[in-house]
Amino acid sequence: MPSKKIIFLLNLHHPYIKQPDSEGKVSSPECSLLFEDISSIYVPLLQKLEQMKSDGVKFKIAMVFSAPLCTLLTDKEVCAQYEQYLDSLIELGKKEVKRTKKDIELNRNARENLERVTEIKRLFFEVYSGNIIKHFAKLAKEGYIELLATAASYAFLPHYADLTEILNAQIEAGLCTVRAFFGIRPEGFFLPEMGYVPGIENVLKSYGVAYTLLPSQSFLFSSTTPSNGIFTPARTMNSLSIFAAEQIKTDYAMRSVYKNQGKDISWELKNHDLLPFIEEGEPRRKSSFCYWNNISRDDNFDDEGAIEYNSEESAAQVKEDAADFFETKKALLEKAAQVLPDTDVSYTCVFDIADMAHEWAEAVDFITETIRLASSTENNENEEQEASESIQIATFTECLLSKKPLQKINPYPAAFSGAGYGENYISSRNEWMIRYLRKAAERIVELADRFPNDTGLKARLLNLGSREFFIASDSSWAKMIGENNYSDYAEKIFKECIVAFSMVFDSLGSNTVSTEWLCNLEKKHAIFPWMNYRIFSPKK
C-alpha cells in the first residue's frame, strides 16, 4: 500500500574559529560563539535524543556535521577553553542569584540559568567525557541517525562549478570527514546552503554518493516537469537520486512566552557585575542569562510592561507549536497522497539548527519535540489503524528502497540562501572575496599538478596550503560579512588564510620556506590532520 513519509534533517555547522591561548582563557566574543552553541544546541540536542532512545521512542533523523565543527568539538585545547568558559559563567550565575534575591521571579530565572549551565558542564565533561561526537556516532551506528556528508569546508559549490578539481576535493574531503569522525561511510551528500548547479551531480556520482537534496524550486523549475512534484524523489540524468527539501523557517519564535535573548544581562549590567565572565576591558559577549520574555522585546529593561520569563509556560507552548507544525506537514502529505493515489509520497524538512537557535532559545526543544511527536504518532497509529493511513518518520535510504522507478529530471540551479539562488554570497559587501578564492583555487590545482610526488617539507607546505584554502572557502565568512555579523573578524580570518596560501605558493616557487612559520601555522590550524594535497590533482 502507498506510504506517506516525513524526513527530518538537522544541519549542524560552525566555521573554524579557534583562539590559541596557553592559559585556556577565552577573551574574544567570536571564539565564545562555539561555546554558546555547545551549551544551547549540541549538548541539549544530544541529551534529548538519548532521552527519546531511553523512553523507547523509535525515532529516525538525518544529520549533517561539517568538518570544521567536528574538528572543534574534538579539539582538547578547545575543550579546555570551554571548561574555563563554563566555570566563569557558573561564577557569574552564583553572583546573579545573590544579586536578584529580593525579586522572586528574577531570582527564579537566575537559579534556573545557573542550574542549566551547571548541568551542561556535568553532561559534557562527566557523561560525554568531553567528546559529544562519539555519542552522536553511537546513535548513528544504532540506526537512529542517518549521517550525510557535506563539503569539506562548507563552501558554496556553485562558485566552483567550472573547476572540477575543486569540486572533487571538497566532496572527497567531506566524505573522508564522516569516515574519520564517525567510522561510517555516508550514502548521502548535503550541498552547503543547498547550492546546486548542473554538473555537481556528476562529481557526486563519481564518488559513489547515492543521493543528495535540492531546493524545491530545482524540481518545480526543471526543464523536465516532475510528474509527482516535490513529493517523491527523482533522479538526475546520470541516475543520482535527489530529494526536494524545504528549509524550515517559522514565526513561532515570536510567541510572547518565549525567551527574549536580546535582553541578556551582558548588555544590561555594569562591568563589575559581569566579573569573572567578562573581565575589565574585554568586549561584551552573550551570557545566555536572560530573564524576560518576548512581551518585553521592544521595551526598556526597567519598563513596567516587561514580564519575566516562565520556563513552564514556554515548555507548554513548545508542545503546542510542535503539534501545530506536525499537523500542518501531515495535512500537506495527506493532500499530496490524495492527488497522487497509488504513489508513495514523502516530504523533507531541513532544520538549520544554529540559525534557528540564535533567534529562538527554544528551537532545540521545538525540533526534538516535533521528532518525538512524529515518531510517537507513527507508533500509535500503526497499532490503531492501517499503516497506509499513518504518517511514517523515515530516512532517505528507506525512501529509496521502493522498487518503483524514479523519474529523471533536469534540476534547475537554486539554493536555500538569498532569495533562492545564493545571490547573497556575491553582494556588494562580500563580492570582493570571490576573486581571491577563484585565484587560490586555480593555484592549488596547479601546485598539485606540478608537485605530484613530493614528500617531506614540500608535502607539508602543500598540505598547509590546502588547509588554508579550505578554511578560506567556508561560505560562513561571506555570510558573516554580508549580514554584518562579526564581519571584521570574518574579513580578518579570510585575509589571513589567503595571505598564508599566497606565502605557500611563493615559497614553492622560490624553493624557500621558514620552518618556524610552517610549524606555527600547522599548530594553529590543526583541521584536516589527514590532509593530502593530491586530492586537488586533476583526475587522469
Side-chain angles (χ1 to χ4, degrees), residues 7 87 108 127 164 168 178 250 278 283 343 428 440 454 483 486:
I7 308 169
D87 286 341
R108 176 181 57 78
V127 178
T164 305
N168 287 339
V178 179
T250 74
I278 299 176
T343 301
S428 58
D454 280 84
E483 297 175 353
Y486 295 101

Side-chain angles (χ1 to χ4, degrees), residues 469-492:
F469 169 74
F470 270 147
I471 296 173
S473 64
D474 189 336
S475 59
S476 301
W477 311 128
K479 186 175 182 180
M480 292 165 72
I481 293 171
E483 297 175 353
N484 198 25
N485 182 25
Y486 295 101
S487 57
D488 290 343
Y489 179 83
E491 183 174 337
K492 172 177 172 289

Side-chain angles (χ1 to χ4, degrees), residues 356-393:
M356 291 182 70
H358 294 162
E359 297 293 329
W360 185 13
E362 296 80 7
V364 171
D365 296 335
F366 167 78
I367 292 168
T368 52
E369 183 62 32
T370 301
I371 293 170
R372 179 186 283 270
L373 180 62
S375 303
S376 301
T377 300
E378 176 192 350
N379 295 337
N380 293 335
E381 288 183 343
N382 281 343
E383 295 174 2
E384 299 172 2
Q385 61 187 38
E386 292 292 330
S388 61
E389 299 179 15
S390 69
I391 303 296
Q392 303 171 34
I393 186 168

Side-chain angles (χ1 to χ4, degrees), residues 168-418:
N168 287 339
Q170 288 280 358
I171 291 169
E172 183 175 334
L175 293 169
C176 289
T177 295
V178 179
R179 289 196 293 268
F181 286 100
F182 298 94
I184 292 174
R185 184 191 181 282
E187 295 292 323
F189 194 93
F190 183 82
L191 300 171
E193 296 295 335
M194 297 281 282
Y196 169 79
V197 291
I200 290 179
E201 68 273 18
N202 296 326
V203 181
L204 292 173
K205 191 70 175 177
S206 69
Y207 278 97
V209 173
Y211 66 88
T212 190
L213 285 67
L214 302 182
S216 297
Q217 62 264 38
S218 288
F219 274 60
L220 300 177
F221 298 159
S222 167
S223 59
T224 308
T225 304
S227 56
N228 297 329
I230 63 173
F231 294 102
T232 61
R235 292 188 187 276
T236 57
M237 291 304 170
N238 69 341
S239 294
L240 176 73
S241 298
I242 50 176
F243 290 81
E246 175 195 5
Q247 186 173 33
I248 302 303
K249 295 182 178 179
T250 74
D251 295 327
Y252 297 133
M254 300 305 296
R255 302 281 197 206
S256 61
V257 299
Y258 288 142
K259 183 175 291 186
N260 181 353
Q261 297 187 97
K263 287 191 176 294
D264 192 300
I265 63 170
S266 285
W267 322 129
E268 306 295 338
L269 299 184
K270 295 180 179 179
N271 290 339
H272 62 82
D273 291 325
L274 296 172
L275 295 169
F277 180 64
I278 299 176
E279 301 286 353
E280 292 288 344
E282 288 183 356
R284 303 264 177 137
R285 59 179 184 270
K286 185 178 176 182
S287 71
S288 295
F289 275 67
C290 308
Y291 305 149
W292 308 91
N293 68 20
N294 278 334
I295 289 179
S296 55
R297 178 174 288 272
D298 298 321
D299 297 333
N300 294 323
F301 206 63
D302 296 326
D303 276 359
E304 294 180 0
I307 297 179
E308 293 85 352
Y309 176 73
N310 187 301
S311 57
E312 293 180 0
E313 292 179 0
S314 174
Q317 187 65 55
V318 164
K319 290 182 181 294
E320 286 186 27
D321 289 339
D324 177 72
F325 175 80
F326 179 64
E327 286 301 318
T328 301
K329 301 309 176 187
K330 181 179 178 181
L332 184 64
L333 269 173
E334 288 172 345
K335 188 172 182 180
Q338 293 174 5
V339 176
L340 302 169
D342 304 321
T343 301
D344 294 336
V345 294
S346 61
Y347 190 76
T348 301
C349 300
V350 175
F351 297 94
D352 192 315
I353 298 186
D355 281 353
M356 291 182 70
H358 294 162
E359 297 293 329
W360 185 13
E362 296 80 7
V364 171
D365 296 335
F366 167 78
I367 292 168
T368 52
E369 183 62 32
T370 301
I371 293 170
R372 179 186 283 270
L373 180 62
S375 303
S376 301
T377 300
E378 176 192 350
N379 295 337
N380 293 335
E381 288 183 343
N382 281 343
E383 295 174 2
E384 299 172 2
Q385 61 187 38
E386 292 292 330
S388 61
E389 299 179 15
S390 69
I391 303 296
Q392 303 171 34
I393 186 168
T395 62
F396 297 106
T397 303
E398 288 174 343
C399 288
L400 294 176
L401 292 178
S402 173
K403 296 181 180 179
K404 295 181 180 179
L406 301 179
Q407 181 185 3
K408 288 190 174 183
I409 65 172
N410 288 303
Y412 191 78
F416 267 171
S417 54

Side-chain angles (χ1 to χ4, degrees), residues 156-176:
F156 190 63
L157 299 184
H159 286 173
Y160 309 95
D162 59 326
L163 298 173
T164 305
E165 292 83 8
I166 301 300
L167 296 180
N168 287 339
Q170 288 280 358
I171 291 169
E172 183 175 334
L175 293 169
C176 289

Side-chain angles (χ1 to χ4, degrees), residues 13-203:
H13 167 64
H14 194 280
Y16 191 72
I17 299 175
K18 181 181 175 183
Q19 173 185 286
D21 193 318
S22 58
E23 298 179 358
K25 181 170 178 56
V26 180
S27 58
S28 69
E30 299 86 9
C31 292
S32 67
L33 291 174
L34 173 65
F35 304 144
E36 294 168 15
D37 286 353
I38 294 174
S39 299
S40 63
I41 301 174
Y42 309 133
V43 172
L45 175 62
L46 177 57
Q47 180 194 22
K48 290 180 180 298
L49 293 180
E50 290 192 331
Q51 185 60 55
M52 278 195 277
K53 172 188 168 184
S54 299
D55 293 344
V57 178
K58 298 178 181 179
F59 67 91
K60 301 170 187 173
I61 56 171
M63 296 187 74
V64 178
F65 290 85
S66 70
L69 176 61
C70 290
T71 302
L72 292 169
L73 290 179
T74 54
D75 189 300
K76 292 183 179 179
E77 187 176 9
V78 171
C79 187
Q81 290 178 347
Y82 182 51
E83 184 173 21
Q84 185 274 337
Y85 168 88
L86 289 178
D87 286 341
S88 64
L89 201 52
I90 289 171
E91 288 302 311
L92 174 63
K94 291 177 180 177
K95 289 178 61 178
E96 279 297 285
V97 170
K98 292 180 180 179
R99 185 184 71 85
T100 59
K101 63 183 179 181
K102 293 183 180 180
D103 188 312
I104 295 176
E105 286 300 315
L106 286 185
N107 188 254
R108 176 181 57 78
N109 271 285
R111 289 181 182 278
E112 286 182 357
N113 277 274
L114 176 58
E115 290 169 2
R116 173 183 57 82
V117 177
T118 304
E119 178 64 7
I120 289 294
K121 182 181 178 182
R122 185 189 71 83
L123 287 170
F124 187 84
F125 291 100
E126 297 179 21
V127 178
Y128 303 138
S129 302
N131 189 345
I132 60 177
I133 290 293
K134 181 174 67 176
H135 292 267
F136 278 114
K138 185 173 183 290
L139 288 174
K141 290 175 181 177
E142 292 171 346
Y144 293 99
I145 296 174
E146 179 176 26
L147 289 170
L148 285 75
T150 190
S153 59
Y154 212 73
F156 190 63
L157 299 184
H159 286 173
Y160 309 95
D162 59 326
L163 298 173
T164 305
E165 292 83 8
I166 301 300
L167 296 180
N168 287 339
Q170 288 280 358
I171 291 169
E172 183 175 334
L175 293 169
C176 289
T177 295
V178 179
R179 289 196 293 268
F181 286 100
F182 298 94
I184 292 174
R185 184 191 181 282
E187 295 292 323
F189 194 93
F190 183 82
L191 300 171
E193 296 295 335
M194 297 281 282
Y196 169 79
V197 291
I200 290 179
E201 68 273 18
N202 296 326
V203 181

